[in-house]
Amino acid sequence: MATLDVEKARLHFPILASGFIFADNAGGSQAAKEVVDMISDYLLNTNVQLGADYSFGVKSNTRVLVDGPREAAKLFNARYPDEVVFGSSSTLNLENLSRSLEDDIHPGDEFIVTGEHEANVGPWKKMAIRKDAVIKHWRPTPTVPENPYSVKLKIEELLPLITSKTRIVAITACSNILGSIVPVKEVVKAIREEAKSKGAKKVEISVDCVAYAPHRLIDVQDWDVDFCAFSFYKVYGPHISGMYVRSSVLEHSVASIVHHFIKADKVGYKLQPGGPGYEIVYGATGVIPYLLSLTPHNDLKATFKAIAAHEQTLIEPLLSFLTDPVQRERGVRVVGEETISLNRVPTISFVVVGQKPIKSKTIVGIFDKNGGIGIRYGHFYAHTLVDELSPKLNTDDGVVRISLVHYNTVEEVHKIIAVLKEIFA
């Protein structure tokens, strides 16, 4: 297996040369230089309105309407580029999707959601109110007796929620707080088998891959999902989201939300009212060339295997420090799985409780005062998840989150740990 040349990867992000440690990557990664160059190239050389049939219009059409969906389809492993939808954010994409499904939802239909990022929760909750549907929650449960915040989603607690009325199941592929990877293929297979056994007539599955896409390769065909969204700005690209919608669903479930005279019955464009930013769509096509440059194999699978292997070197020292008996005695509690494995990504959250608690905001404030390292605190839009943790946390203060990606180094992790040691002393 090819190894990741981290120093070579870092050369694609000029800002990293400043020495600042970016450890809030789950909120937004840095953009690779290839991406920025493509945005600039579009604006400087083909910046015309789509639809024109003169030479510059044709070139612009190709870059946005052909190259953009084709390259995004590779990151989803979608069967067709027409299954790709672009929007300014995953929140907007999934809200538009829920709106487009309203005519196919009936009173009494049941939606199962996780308490993760509100992007893939809120649209279904709001539609349930509008359509008199029922919301059910697949909640995580503790895995470590001595740490009530070490929680995980378990398939055996999802299946009893499925009934003959199940219509939508909206899950996460990776928690942006817990850092744990959900075995999507296994979960989807179990959902479909359980739904079939209970007589559910039509079940469509939506997967939030925003916190997953920077760390692992998506495969919507292998997973057998109907909807999937991720944000390019968390995968070394510009501020835009890509959403996959299965072609059969586009044809039979989804109603167009664009202008009535636009013919887009079987393509993702029917979910793009007004269209996305042209230069941003073209800039997003720079993400794959960057990813392919990380290993000599010119293969996305090899790239993500190398990324996952390097990330384990980032997880091990930080998670080992936070779960050390000395820290546990101090009141440090990891929020999420404590196990070091390929089933978690280097998005690591914690709180400090006990006799000498420290607010999450205070910890981040000390990092800010020291300078040179960027981390954050809060609920990170997974408000329901944080609100339901027990013993109860203040959702405004939330958790401290340190989120790393492949361009972070082990040396940077040890600098983060050094600051934490001073705070916990």
Side-chain angles (χ1 to χ4, degrees):
M1 184 179 73
T3 57
L4 191 70
D5 186 339
V6 180
E7 292 307 316
K8 181 181 177 182
R10 289 172 68 87
L11 295 176
H12 293 260
F13 305 91
I15 196 170
L16 299 183
S18 68
F20 190 88
I21 298 173
F22 292 91
D24 180 33
N25 298 288
S29 68
Q30 297 304 303
K33 190 174 185 301
E34 292 92 327
V35 170
V36 180
D37 288 344
M38 295 182 84
I39 293 173
S40 177
D41 180 39
Y42 183 91
L43 289 173
L44 293 174
N45 298 307
T46 57
N47 188 26
V48 298
Q49 181 63 20
L50 295 187
D53 56 6
Y54 51 83
S55 59
F56 280 97
V58 171
K59 188 173 183 179
S60 183
N61 288 340
T62 299
R63 287 181 159 190
V64 177
L65 300 177
V66 178
D67 296 348
R70 182 193 65 216
E71 294 302 293
K74 294 176 183 177
L75 287 172
F76 284 113
N77 191 31
R79 187 174 283 104
Y80 312 111
D82 283 345
E83 295 176 311
V84 173
V85 181
F86 288 105
S88 61
S89 67
S90 293
T91 298
L92 179 64
N93 263 335
L94 289 161
E95 181 66 34
N96 284 343
L97 172 66
S98 72
R99 290 281 180 176
S100 76
L101 289 168
E102 281 201 356
D103 291 345
D104 205 47
I105 302 298
H106 304 95
D109 283 351
E110 295 177 352
F111 305 159
I112 300 173
V113 300
T114 60
E116 298 289 344
H117 195 293
E118 197 69 11
N120 195 31
V121 180
W124 311 113
K125 292 193 295 188
K126 287 181 283 186
M127 183 161 68
I129 294 172
R130 295 193 301 269
K131 301 295 293 186
D132 198 23
V134 177
I135 289 289
K136 294 183 174 181
H137 296 271
W138 180 24
R139 292 184 168 89
T141 53
T143 60
V144 178
E146 60 270 27
N147 180 8
Y149 301 119
S150 181
V151 297
K152 177 182 179 180
L153 291 168
K154 299 176 183 177
I155 298 177
E156 60 268 26
E157 293 170 355
L158 165 64
L159 298 183
L161 301 176
I162 298 171
T163 72
S164 61
K165 296 182 179 180
T166 299
R167 177 64 181 84
I168 298 288
V169 182
I171 65 174
T172 181
C174 179
S175 172
N176 74 328
I177 284 189
L178 307 178
S180 50
I181 293 176
V182 174
V184 177
K185 182 177 181 179
E186 181 183 350
V187 170
V188 171
K189 182 181 179 181
I191 290 170
R192 297 208 184 280
E193 290 177 351
E194 188 75 7
K196 183 178 179 180
S197 72
K198 291 180 176 177
K201 294 181 176 61
K202 187 177 186 179
V203 177
E204 288 168 339
I205 300 173
S206 176
V207 182
D208 173 3
C209 279
V210 174
Y212 181 94
H215 310 285
R216 301 291 190 274
L217 188 59
I218 300 168
D219 193 337
V220 295
Q221 291 188 66
D222 187 53
W223 292 351
D224 187 26
V225 298
D226 301 288
F227 319 118
C228 180
F230 76 92
S231 299
F232 278 93
Y233 63 95
K234 302 186 182 187
V235 193
Y236 328 112
H239 202 292
I240 195 169
S241 165
M243 181 170 68
Y244 159 83
V245 182
R246 194 197 296 260
S247 57
S248 59
V249 175
L250 276 170
E251 183 175 0
H252 300 294
S253 298
V254 172
S256 176
I257 60 172
V258 299
H259 298 312
H260 67 90
F261 49 82
I262 295 176
K263 303 300 182 184
D265 292 341
K266 300 180 182 180
V267 297
Y269 195 83
K270 69 195 295 186
L271 292 173
Q272 290 182 183
Y278 305 153
E279 72 278 10
I280 304 300
V281 171
Y282 183 58
T285 67
V287 169
I288 286 184
Y290 165 67
L291 290 171
L292 292 176
S293 76
L294 296 180
T295 67
H297 301 285
N298 197 42
D299 177 74
L300 285 174
K301 289 183 179 179
T303 291
F304 278 94
K305 284 182 180 179
I307 286 174
H310 171 65
E311 288 181 346
Q312 293 302 298
T313 70
L314 307 176
I315 295 170
E316 197 282 328
L318 182 55
L319 205 54
S320 294
F321 169 74
L322 292 171
T323 58
D324 184 274
V326 173
Q327 267 55 257
R328 194 180 295 279
E329 178 67 23
R330 173 64 184 81
V332 177
R333 298 291 183 269
V334 169
V335 180
E337 290 191 75
E338 296 185 349
T339 305
I340 301 167
S341 76
L342 287 170
N343 292 321
R344 78 140 33 245
V345 302
T347 298
I348 299 174
S349 303
F350 68 89
V351 292
V352 180
V353 296
Q355 294 183 348
K356 295 192 296 181
I358 310 176
K359 288 186 176 181
S360 298
K361 180 179 181 179
T362 300
I363 293 172
V364 172
I366 294 171
F367 272 86
D368 289 343
K369 184 177 180 180
N370 288 353
I373 302 174
I375 66 172
R376 288 180 70 178
Y377 74 95
H379 56 70
F380 304 102
Y381 296 95
H383 187 278
T384 300
L385 171 61
V386 173
D387 187 52
E388 292 183 349
L389 289 172
S390 182
K392 196 168 183 63
L393 299 175
N394 181 330
T395 52
D396 290 334
D397 193 53
V399 303
V400 178
R401 187 179 72 180
I402 299 170
S403 50
L404 308 170
V405 290
H406 69 273
Y407 56 58
N408 291 115
T409 67
V410 175
E411 291 74 20
E412 289 180 331
V413 174
H414 284 292
K415 289 180 180 179
I416 291 170
I417 291 173
V419 178
L420 292 174
K421 284 182 178 178
E422 293 182 8
I423 294 172
F424 297 160

